[in-house]
Amino acid sequence: MPDPVPTDRIATIDTVRGVAVMGILFLNIIAFAMPEAAYISPRAYGLNGPADRFVYYATLILFDGKMRGLFSFLFGASLLLVVDRAEAGGRDPAAVHYARMFWLFVLGMAHAVLLWRGDILVHYALIGALAYVFRHQSVRGLLLLGIVLALIDALVLGSIPLSYLAMQASGGAQAAQGLLDFRNGFGVPAPAVIARELALYRGGYASILAQNLSDAVDSLGDTIIIGFETLAHMLFGMAALRSGMLHGRWSRARLWRWVMGGMGVGLIGYGGIAIWIASRNLDVFAIIAGPIALATPFRAIMIPGWAATILLLAGTNGPIARRFAAAGRMALSNYLATSLVMCFLFYGWGLGQFGHWSRAALYVPVLAMCAAMLLWSQPWLRHFRYGPFEWLWRSLARWEWQPMRVEPKPRLR
């Protein structure tokens, strides 16, 4: 029997979100378990054999940037749902929206400082506050604005490899320092840099907390760098909702066209980039120019392709699709629970496994965590209206404790 779903939920959106919250861990696991540079360049750490290379290229082609973009896509759609329902219910949509963004920012900062440096909630709260301005745009207007922002993002990211080439050509002490910074961020850092990071995250909670606080402040600046892309995908998600795609109103033929176009073109593009990176043996320029700059247009088209693929699978409404939808209804709780579990596994205040696993081996806990999300979300929602952190966020945003338990239906005699 299907689980009780609140009447204001759209199951298709929940299903896509359930896939995204699992898929994002396929990239985030590197940031949980290895030095920071390994997230960008596999040569920086943990590239020990063919299996490690295989998982790097597989995650690059299928997941890199796509799951974060899919979350942004869904965030934009959810933003519209919330403000539309606020207006329909006679509430001030701006007050409702900005209360949600304020408390999401607070939860994100707590997550970033107290637990994990890789938080994305703060970024979504800031960009989501801006996305509200575009809520009355038509589907065409949202798409055009999104395309303009995506082009700006491509120009910003394209300037990074150009800066690297300019530094290589110029010479001098300043250029040498710049190239060293590129090496530490996009290539293989000096052994001392790696050793310091290993010691930090294998150490106690106090030192990690201090580093998290510093990183959280620094990451606010990253909102500007990746904000164009995030806002573009939020606008695309708003357009997808307005067009009926995320309501499940598109025909299967139309979804298939997006699968073939988005996933087909994207996979070909990413496959070519992966081959080129491999031909350069993952050097600094290949890492900067490939996944960061050249992949930008292919990433943009693969995100709606991913959404269309999941919607086709969700259309069956089978037991597996319902489990993904349940995981999506609890995406915030599952996201934060993932951080807690992975930080406990890898950080020194827990089991202290930071830097001890190969890249390929890390996908054992990834798959285990994905299975846990599928297993626990549906039973939880049989008894409770929301995930624990969804309930907290909703209660804070409304400044009133929300009913949590699902009232049992009266038994017929």
Side-chain angles (χ1 to χ4, degrees):
M1 178 181 293
D3 295 319
V5 177
T7 55
D8 62 346
R9 305 297 306 193
I10 297 178
T12 48
I13 293 180
D14 288 332
T15 305
V16 178
R17 190 181 289 114
V19 174
V21 77
M22 295 178 202
I24 203 169
L25 182 56
F26 280 73
L27 276 300
N28 284 350
I29 189 63
I30 306 301
F32 282 118
M34 290 183 177
E36 185 175 12
Y39 187 87
I40 301 294
S41 173
R43 293 183 66 230
Y45 198 87
L47 192 68
N48 302 318
D52 298 323
R53 287 181 179 269
F54 171 79
V55 297
Y56 168 73
Y57 289 116
T59 53
L60 169 67
I61 292 169
L62 292 173
F63 299 109
D64 182 46
K66 275 77 84 178
M67 295 299 106
R68 185 183 70 247
L70 195 56
F71 258 123
S72 304
F73 189 83
L74 296 169
F75 196 96
S78 297
L79 183 159
L80 276 188
L81 284 173
V82 170
V83 298
D84 285 352
R85 286 165 181 165
E87 284 186 311
R91 292 178 291 154
D92 180 355
V96 169
H97 175 71
Y98 286 108
R100 294 180 79 248
M101 294 303 99
F102 171 77
W103 286 110
L104 184 65
F105 179 87
V106 171
L107 290 172
M109 286 299 293
H111 176 227
V113 174
L114 299 176
L115 197 57
W116 184 50
R117 61 185 175 180
D119 170 79
I120 196 66
L121 302 178
V122 168
H123 179 72
Y124 283 162
L126 294 173
I127 301 301
L130 180 59
Y132 177 82
V133 175
F134 304 102
R135 68 194 185 282
H136 291 312
Q137 291 288 327
S138 65
V139 171
R140 182 184 294 273
L142 290 166
L143 290 175
L144 288 175
L145 283 168
I147 290 169
V148 169
L149 289 166
L151 290 173
I152 294 172
D153 175 65
L155 291 173
V156 171
L157 296 180
S159 69
I160 298 175
L162 293 178
S163 298
Y164 179 78
L165 291 176
M167 288 178 185
Q168 277 190 322
S170 65
Q174 186 175 357
Q177 181 59 49
L179 291 172
L180 179 61
D181 292 341
F182 269 109
R183 179 188 172 192
N184 285 334
F186 300 100
V188 182
V193 174
I194 296 292
R196 281 196 300 270
E197 199 166 349
L198 292 174
L200 171 66
Y201 290 103
R202 290 173 183 174
Y205 181 74
S207 57
I208 295 174
L209 178 66
Q211 183 63 47
N212 285 349
L213 180 59
S214 175
D215 288 344
V217 174
D218 291 343
S219 68
L220 293 176
D222 294 340
T223 292
I224 298 173
I225 298 173
I226 64 172
F228 294 108
E229 180 184 56
T230 302
L231 182 56
H233 294 314
M234 285 186 183
L235 297 182
F236 292 148
M238 293 162 78
L241 185 78
R242 289 281 190 245
S243 73
M245 177 193 193
L246 293 176
H247 283 284
R249 295 174 187 159
W250 282 17
S251 68
R252 292 182 66 83
R254 189 176 183 184
L255 289 172
W256 269 114
R257 287 195 293 272
W258 272 96
V259 171
M260 299 302 292
M263 295 296 281
V265 173
L267 289 173
I268 291 170
Y270 262 92
I273 290 169
I275 292 170
W276 178 71
I277 294 171
S279 73
R280 296 183 62 97
N281 196 26
L282 297 157
D283 69 358
V284 175
F285 180 71
I287 292 297
I288 297 170
I292 293 176
L294 296 177
T296 302
F298 300 110
R299 183 165 59 247
I301 197 171
M302 277 189 75
I303 291 165
W306 258 108
T309 301
I310 299 164
L311 290 172
L312 281 170
L313 297 175
T316 62
N317 197 32
I320 300 300
R322 291 199 295 272
R323 284 196 176 270
F324 276 102
R329 284 176 60 190
M330 295 178 55
L332 178 61
S333 294
N334 280 321
Y335 172 73
L336 295 175
T338 296
S339 293
L340 182 61
V341 170
M342 296 304 164
C343 287
F344 175 76
L345 175 59
F346 293 107
Y347 284 4
W349 55 262
L351 300 181
Q353 293 297 300
F354 189 85
H356 287 303
W357 295 44
S358 70
R359 184 174 288 259
L362 290 175
Y363 290 92
V364 173
V366 167
L367 294 175
M369 192 68 209
C370 291
M373 292 184 210
L374 292 174
L375 290 172
W376 90 293
S377 300
Q378 198 174 41
W380 176 277
L381 290 171
R382 290 196 184 102
H383 302 286
F384 301 101
R385 295 172 182 268
Y386 317 105
F389 283 100
E390 284 79 7
W391 171 81
L392 178 62
W393 184 22
R394 193 180 183 102
S395 296
L396 290 170
R398 296 192 174 194
W399 207 239
E400 179 182 9
W401 297 123
Q402 300 297 296
M404 182 63 163
R405 293 195 67 87
V406 173
E407 297 296 330
K409 293 182 180 179
R411 301 177 71 178
L412 299 176
R413 298 195 178 205

